Structure formats: C-alpha cells, structure tokens
Amino acid sequence: MSTKTRLSKRGQPIKFVVCVENSGYPASLELHKIYRMMPDPQAARERDVRVVDESGEDYLYPAEWFVAVDVPRRVRTSLLRRRARLQPA
C-alpha cells in the first residue's frame, strides 16, 4: 500500500475541512459535514476558503466557518470516490 498523499490535478495535496458554521446557507452547507477544500491562494489571502458544497460546485465561504481535518486514508478514499460518482458524465 502506498502512503503517498493524493494530489489534486494541480499537483497540490487534497485537503478536507469540517463545517462549523453555515449562517444564511443551510441548504448549501451542512453543519459538521466534511467538505473538500479546493486550492485558492487569492481566497486564502482574503480569509475565505473554496469548498465543494451541497450543489456539487465550488464556492467561496468565510474561512472561520471551517476547521481543517486530517482524515484517515480509508475515509479520504471514500470521500474522493463519492465525489467522482456525483460528477456528471
């Protein structure tokens, strides 16, 4: 088994965050749910994060609404597999 960190198409590590606030966006963000964070240096400079929300698209949200988490490899694989199944063909 490989212990390498999976990289995004842009060559950056895939990161996950947990939603701890969703004021005004309950249909887009579920509290306590794990979301995939997309790399966006400009957003980070403005204290935002880009996450793939319930719509299946990536949007900017305040960074303080999320907490970064390290997930075990098996969970990471499951989350990425789920995302692949949800993407339109």
Side-chain angles (χ1 to χ4, degrees):
M1 276 196 276
S2 173
T3 58
K4 291 183 181 178
T5 300
R6 186 150 177 203
L7 301 177
S8 69
K9 290 180 182 178
R10 295 180 180 169
Q12 297 179 338
I14 295 173
K15 296 180 181 178
F16 294 96
V17 292
V18 172
C19 178
V20 295
E21 175 63 58
N22 66 350
S23 297
Y25 297 92
S28 300
L29 297 171
E30 291 183 32
L31 286 176
H32 316 297
K33 183 173 179 178
I34 298 172
Y35 289 94
R36 181 177 175 181
M37 188 174 89
M38 307 300 289
D40 189 332
Q42 177 67 30
R45 284 191 290 277
E46 296 177 16
R47 296 186 179 164
D48 289 326
V49 293
R50 184 173 296 280
V51 299
V52 179
D53 68 11
E54 296 304 309
S55 72
E57 299 292 326
D58 57 284
Y59 289 98
L60 293 175
Y61 293 99
E64 65 266 14
W65 288 10
F66 299 89
V67 175
V69 293
D70 289 324
V71 295
R73 182 175 35 193
R74 188 167 178 192
V75 173
R76 175 181 294 273
T77 300
S78 177
L79 290 167
L80 293 173
R81 203 175 291 141
R82 179 180 184 274
R83 169 126 168 92
R85 281 194 314 261
L86 295 176
Q87 289 180 338

